């Protein structure tokens, strides 16, 4: 998608455009549309009503201070005074629609992107089972195909009240199943071990929990690559991953830019942000760590891992490391930065596979994690989560958001503002928190 | 001159390849499962660097035992572990060692450490090593670090008495390790 197409969409009233190639800074609304496409950003914004700061990559930043919005692109700074942020956000939230991309890309495959989830089986069968919060550290919204129950789930996360809801989408199962049959097996067969996932409950900062969490991230994202490869081989020009929590990526055949607010990092307190950009042949890695670091040893380990990640696809001898620098005036953050050239015949997907999750805690399990997890289970098919993915079925999945209500819907189950799934007749199969289970009973 | 880097999905294998690139040394990285011993012989690298993991330790030990006598070989990190085991040594856990820890490495100044300050900083990711009592008779200690919890020093580098085989427990490619480039240069050129 080029900028003209994007602008046409924007002019037509679409403000959630899941295929983005390049940010521009024509106006503040345009910047916001490009900078705030993802739900976790909204969440962030609500937490900090007076101040929003986002780093798109190492040279793109946008900030909102009270009524002033500031966008920075390299050395160029754009400022819009007397432009309150919140009216923009509220306006966008009130009219959050997706363009009919199929009308433009007739050959667009049904799956436009993907995110796989780490979903234990138990919560789908037992409403009293707590949902592993670690899942939500990895992603926001998932579509799940339970290959054993022959059920398709749409899992929505209602953030403001911290509850989760399952919605069956059986009417589309056959269609989606058929489509999934075209997806490479490595994507369709991603599984995780239920017990492992339970261990990874958030806030359990035991080594085992962290290891499992890292594995969960790895597995989820590895599947994401597979989905992207599927996308790439089906002549889609670009794809935006749909809403993994705290993860954004812009991908096309020539450029990637992603950054990761890793929950692993945050739990450990060792680093906050890691991002990697590839522009042409130049690959950059960036790691921001708090100063003083609560664990300098771990921070350096993460940095070493990041260097190794990038080295996998770098031209030998091309890596240049910039000395650590203090990122802000109050000396809260230290940023480390390295730059390298990618080797010949390296694709953007090679880069993603090698580098993401950047500076993973475990370093090595980027590919092996799914197999390791399966090997730990005596009945991986039954104990493991079945499959999560995949999709973004263009028009049939629509984000509907209004005020404090967040629901995902399909084109044939349209959710109006303020309505809950129960109110519009979508069967709520299981509330995944004790509170919801009690309410249901 | 070419270096074969056997990659076992280790933490720093590709960074080592970067270092070698900066030293203008040709290095080929292969996944360990991609190559048999015969394949390695066919490739005929002048030097081999090992960074094995537990999952194929036996294969790595076999490589060391087959090619160690006449092929310069350096084990790094878990490669150190493999070298010890290939020479029939016994490892033990070192209390107080943890991943990413920076140690003051004292050394003998021999080949691998030629021209390097003494001591130098080295980062270890493993917490197993070998004691002097359990050190195979075919290996000599060439570097060690004081242990906070043991009365004796912890061995962090060894060399074979008759083979061109060396191993270091610390990671020269780690950010907080010192003189990693020089150490790799010594391995290839000294």
């Amino acid at each position: 998608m080029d900028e003209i197409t994007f602008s046409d969409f924007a002019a037509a009233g679409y403000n959630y455009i899941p295929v983005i190639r390049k940010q521009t800074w024509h106006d503040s609304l345009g910047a916001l549309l490009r900078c705030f496409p993802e739900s976790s950003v909204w969440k962030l914004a609500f937490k900090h009503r007076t101040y929003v700061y986002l780093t798109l990559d190492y040279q793109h930043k946008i900030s909102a201070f009270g009524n002033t919005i500031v966008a920075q692109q390299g050395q160029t700074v754009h400022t819009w005074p007397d432009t309150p942020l919140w009216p923009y956000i509220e306006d966008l939230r009130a009219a959050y629609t997706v363009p009919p991309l199929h009308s433009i890309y007739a050959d667009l495959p049904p799956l436009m992107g993907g995110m796989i989830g780490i979903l234990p089986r138990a919560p789908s069968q037992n409403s009293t089972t707590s949902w592993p919060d670690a899942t939500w550290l990895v992603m926001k919204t998932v579509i799940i195909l339970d290959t054993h129950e022959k059920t398709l789930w749409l899992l929505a996360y209602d953030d403001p009240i911290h509850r989760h809801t399952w919605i069956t989408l059986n009417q589309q199962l056959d269609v989606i199943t058929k489509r999934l049959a075209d997806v490479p097996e490595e994507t369709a067969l991603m599984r995780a071990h239920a017990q492992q996932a339970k261990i990874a409950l958030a806030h359990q900062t035991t080594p085992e929990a962290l290891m499992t969490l890292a594995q969960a991230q790895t597995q989820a994202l590895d599947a994401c690559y597979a989905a992207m490869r599927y996308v790439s081989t089906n002549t889609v020009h670009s794809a935006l991953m749909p809403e993994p929590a705290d993860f954004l990526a812009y991908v096309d055949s020539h450029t990637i830019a992603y950054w990761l607010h890793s929950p692993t990092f945050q739990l450990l307190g060792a680093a906050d942000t890691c991002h990697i950009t590839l522009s042409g042949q130049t690959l950059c890695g960036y790691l921001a760590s708090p100063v003083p670091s609560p664990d300098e040893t771990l921070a350096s380990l993460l940095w070493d891992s990041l260097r190794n990640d990038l080295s996998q696809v770098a031209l030998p001898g091309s890596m240049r490391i910039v000395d650590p620098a203090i990122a802000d005036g109050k000396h809260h953050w230290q940023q480390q930065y390295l730059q390298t050239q990618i080797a010949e015949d390296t694709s953007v997907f090679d880069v993603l596979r090698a580098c993401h999750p950047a500076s993973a805690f475990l370093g090595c399990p980027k590919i092996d994690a799914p197999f390791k997890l399966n090997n730990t289970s005596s009945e991986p098919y039954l104990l493991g989560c079945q499959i999560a993915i995949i999709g973004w079925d263009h028009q049939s999945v629509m984000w509907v958001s209004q005020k404090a209500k967040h629901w995902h819907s399909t084109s044939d189950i349209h959710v109006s503002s303020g309505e809950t799934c129960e109110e519009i007749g979508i069967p709520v199969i299981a509330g995944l928190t004790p509170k919801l289970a009690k309410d249901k009973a | 001159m070419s270096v074969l880097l056997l990659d076992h999905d280790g933490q720093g294998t590709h960074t080592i390849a970067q270092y070698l690139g900066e030293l203008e040394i040709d290095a080929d990285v292969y996944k360990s499962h991609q190559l048999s011993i015969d394949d390695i012989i066919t490739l005929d690298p002048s030097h081999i660097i090992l960074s094995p993991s537990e999952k194929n330790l036996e294969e790595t030990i076999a490589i060391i035992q087959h090619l160690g006598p006449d092929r310069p070989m350096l084990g790094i990190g878990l490669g150190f572990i493999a070298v010890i085991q290939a020479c029939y040594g016994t490892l033990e856990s070192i209390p107080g060692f943890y991943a990413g820890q920076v140690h003051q490495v004292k050394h003998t100044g021999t080949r691998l450490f030629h021209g390097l300050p003494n001591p130098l900083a080295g980062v270890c990711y493993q917490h197993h090593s070998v004691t002097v009592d359990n050190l195979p008779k075919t290996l000599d200690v060439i570097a060690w670090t004081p242990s906070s919890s043991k009365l004796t020093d912890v061995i962090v580098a060894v060399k074979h008495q008759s083979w061109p085989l060396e191993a270091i427990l610390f990671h020269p490619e780690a950010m907080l390790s010192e003189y990693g480039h020089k150490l790799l240069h010594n391995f290839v050129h000294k």
Side-chain angles (χ1 to χ4, degrees), chain A residues 9 81 83 134 180 204 419 438:
Chain A
F9 277 143
T83 309
L180 282 174
Q204 289 183 8
E419 291 179 325
K438 183 179 177 182

Side-chain angles (χ1 to χ4, degrees), chain A residues 325-344:
Chain A
I326 298 299
D328 63 311
K330 294 185 178 180
H331 292 205
H332 289 156
W333 297 97
Q334 170 181 280
Q335 53 185 333
Q336 293 169 288
Y337 173 70
L338 56 85
Q339 179 174 317
T340 189
Q341 301 295 308
I342 60 172
E344 293 291 328

Side-chain angles (χ1 to χ4, degrees), chain B:
Chain B
M1 181 178 298
S2 65
V3 176
L4 171 65
L5 267 163
L6 279 180
D7 177 26
H8 297 73
D9 295 327
Q11 190 89 10
T13 309
H14 294 279
T15 307
I16 293 171
Q18 273 293 318
Y19 276 30
L20 293 172
E22 292 167 17
L23 295 169
E24 299 184 347
I25 298 169
D26 290 336
D28 294 317
V29 181
Y30 284 90
K31 292 284 186 184
S32 58
H33 61 78
Q34 292 177 322
L35 295 179
S36 65
I37 292 175
D38 289 340
D39 292 334
I40 296 174
I41 293 172
T42 303
L43 284 172
D44 194 25
S46 63
H47 297 71
I48 299 173
I49 293 179
L50 305 165
S51 60
S53 64
E54 295 90 339
K55 67 180 180 183
N56 43 12
L57 190 58
E58 289 182 4
E59 290 87 342
T60 307
I61 289 172
I63 291 172
I64 294 169
Q65 292 174 337
H66 277 83
L67 303 178
D70 55 10
R71 189 87 49 163
M73 200 176 294
L74 175 65
I76 296 176
L78 281 163
F80 174 92
I81 305 293
V83 167
I84 297 296
Q85 295 194 340
C87 297
Y88 307 105
T90 305
L91 296 154
E92 67 176 76
S93 177
I94 308 298
F97 262 48
Y98 55 86
Q101 191 176 10
V102 182
H103 300 277
Q104 287 299 306
V105 175
K106 297 181 179 179
H107 57 82
T108 58
T110 51
R111 202 185 80 94
L112 203 59
F113 297 96
H114 177 76
L116 299 186
N118 198 357
L120 56 84
V123 173
C124 291
Y125 289 137
Q126 287 75 38
H127 57 84
H128 286 81
S129 186
V130 60
T131 62
V132 173
D133 292 340
N134 292 324
L135 186 70
K137 297 188 185 308
T138 53
L139 297 178
D140 289 335
V141 178
I142 55 174
W144 61 94
T145 186
S147 169
S148 59
S149 58
K150 293 178 71 70
L151 295 176
T152 58
D153 293 335
V154 176
I155 296 171
V156 294
V158 295
K159 73 177 290 292
H160 198 279
Q161 290 172 351
S162 55
W163 298 356
L165 172 64
E166 293 161 303
I168 52 178
L169 183 61
F170 61 95
H171 286 251
E173 82 287 359
M175 194 67 186
L176 298 182
S177 290
E178 296 178 326
Y179 304 100
H181 289 82
K182 179 66 175 172
L183 191 146
L184 292 172
H185 175 272
N186 284 347
F187 168 63
V188 175
H189 291 298
K190 292 294 180 182

